[in-house]
Amino acid sequence: MTIVKTIEEVRAQVRAWRAQGLTVGLVPTMGYLHEGHQSLIARSVAENDRTVVSDFVNPIQFGPTEDLATYPRDIARDAALCEATGADLIFHPEADEMYAPDFCTYVDMDRLTGGLCGKTRPTHFRGVCTVVSKLFHIVQPDRAYFGQKDAQQLAVIRRMVRDLNMPLEIIGCPIVREADGLAKSSRNTYLNEAERQAALCLSRGLAKGKAAVEAGETDAAKVRAVIAGEIEAEPLSRIDYVELVDWNTLEPVDSTEGSILAAVAVYIGKTRLIDNFIIER
Ligand code: AMP
């Protein structure tokens, strides 16, 4: 496995693989890898001849008051995890390799990006769509792997690929959790011991909401109240949103019939965590 920092090196490697008729999978990440990322890498390794992992904390998807400066980074640890999982190449550029000083071209989306995380992070998905488009152009993979952990991001990327006729397949992968239910996240490292315990209210609330739907509850407002009630009972929590939306349009729903995404964003202390479940019927 090799680590490269320039776009030209990625292109040269992928060209060499293509000349041999090999297929290529891409796993875009912001690094500080955990078993959630690892599950995406393992799936790509299983489904493609070669796997590229991008490891880049993308500045343009962070808002001015967000955690860009403190976002955890550890490329040596990431490299060991990628190597152990069978990845072939890590693309680890500096920000100035990806963005020229006079960079001014963005990929933006009218729908899907205004609600959920887009409400409090108005420039986030423009940053995500732009960097993911750039990565697709640089690597030109056959398949790219995204976690359902970031469900809105997965829906947005799928729509971008469809709308802009990008020639690759998007593979969504299930959420990987800690043994006690907390969704794995690089940001979990911000939590102190009390917050780590408190953070369980997200998965607990969602599990209760999912059980209500499975028991036949079709009123979305009631399911929402079950989830929010469990989270609000935790003193260290502050809800950003608890929403039930259509999994294809991300528009709010009144009924839980159809394919539904139940998504939450919750501050535990200063740390903002997200989690969700999808019921597809
Ligand atoms: P990030 O490094 O947070 O940008 O995440 C990179 C990719 O890993 C995204 O597609 C995420 O959805 C995915 N991912 C992050 N955490 C998890 C998890 N716990 N389970 C599955 N996928 C995850």
Side-chain angles (χ1 to χ4, degrees):
M1 193 197 68
T2 43
I3 305 180
V4 300
K5 294 182 90 66
T6 67
I7 293 165
E8 206 28 64
E9 286 169 293
V10 178
R11 287 199 198 280
Q13 180 61 82
V14 173
R15 258 196 313 270
W17 289 336
R18 291 292 182 201
Q20 300 171 58
L22 301 176
T23 58
V24 178
L26 169 66
V27 182
T29 82
M30 297 208 300
Y32 213 72
L33 305 179
H34 51 65
E35 289 91 336
H37 302 107
Q38 195 169 23
S39 72
L40 273 52
I41 298 167
R43 176 104 183 252
S44 175
V45 168
E47 295 180 353
N48 301 278
D49 298 317
R50 295 290 182 268
T51 290
V52 178
V53 177
S54 62
D55 188 314
F56 176 57
V57 181
N58 174 37
I60 70 166
Q61 71 186 67
F62 287 77
T65 62
E66 293 178 0
D67 56 345
L68 173 62
T70 53
Y71 196 85
R73 294 159 167 90
D74 189 343
I75 186 66
R77 202 167 132 269
D78 291 351
L81 182 144
C82 287
E83 175 123 55
T85 315
D88 300 280
L89 183 75
I90 298 181
F91 178 42
H92 181 53
E94 298 294 336
D96 62 2
E97 175 72 4
M98 293 294 277
Y99 299 108
D102 55 352
F103 182 89
C104 58
T105 308
Y106 297 88
V107 179
D108 214 342
M109 191 175 285
D110 285 346
R111 298 191 194 174
L112 306 189
T113 57
L116 304 175
C117 290
K119 255 189 207 149
T120 49
R121 309 187 75 192
T123 59
H124 174 68
F125 289 107
R126 184 175 91 144
V128 168
C129 286
T130 302
V131 79
V132 169
S133 297
K134 284 167 69 68
L135 291 168
F136 288 174
H137 284 119
I138 293 164
V139 178
Q140 300 190 14
D142 298 282
R143 299 179 192 84
Y145 295 80
F146 293 86
Q148 186 202 304
K149 160 83 186 338
D150 300 87
Q152 186 175 17
Q153 170 175 279
L154 174 58
V156 163
I157 297 296
R158 282 208 168 113
R159 183 65 64 91
M160 175 183 82
V161 164
R162 190 205 71 179
D163 285 356
L164 298 182
N165 312 101
M166 295 177 169
L168 80 164
E169 194 183 345
I170 299 301
I171 313 284
C173 302
I175 301 176
V176 176
R177 298 179 179 280
E178 303 286 354
D180 60 9
L182 179 67
K184 286 184 185 272
S185 164
S186 308
R187 289 191 168 99
N188 290 349
T189 151
Y190 296 149
L191 303 170
N192 66 29
E193 219 170 288
E195 290 169 342
R196 172 65 183 77
Q197 253 335 91
L200 292 174
C201 69
L202 282 83
S203 52
R204 215 168 44 229
L206 285 164
K208 274 195 161 181
K210 190 172 183 199
V213 176
E214 284 167 351
E217 180 57 70
T218 55
D219 183 341
K222 285 193 183 149
V223 176
R224 187 201 170 279
V226 167
I227 300 169
E230 186 69 32
I231 296 171
E232 279 159 358
E234 168 49 58
L236 293 181
S237 78
R238 183 167 59 82
I239 289 176
D240 178 359
Y241 65 77
V242 174
E243 284 199 51
L244 274 77
V245 298
D246 181 290
W247 173 224
N248 295 307
T249 65
L250 304 187
E251 295 293 331
V253 292
D254 295 326
S255 155
T256 63
E257 319 272 11
S259 293
I260 299 300
L261 165 68
V264 306
V266 179
Y267 287 92
I268 302 292
K270 288 198 168 76
T271 305
R272 184 175 175 281
L273 300 176
I274 58 172
D275 198 352
N276 67 80
F277 69 83
I278 295 170
I279 293 192
E280 295 195 70
R281 284 180 294 198

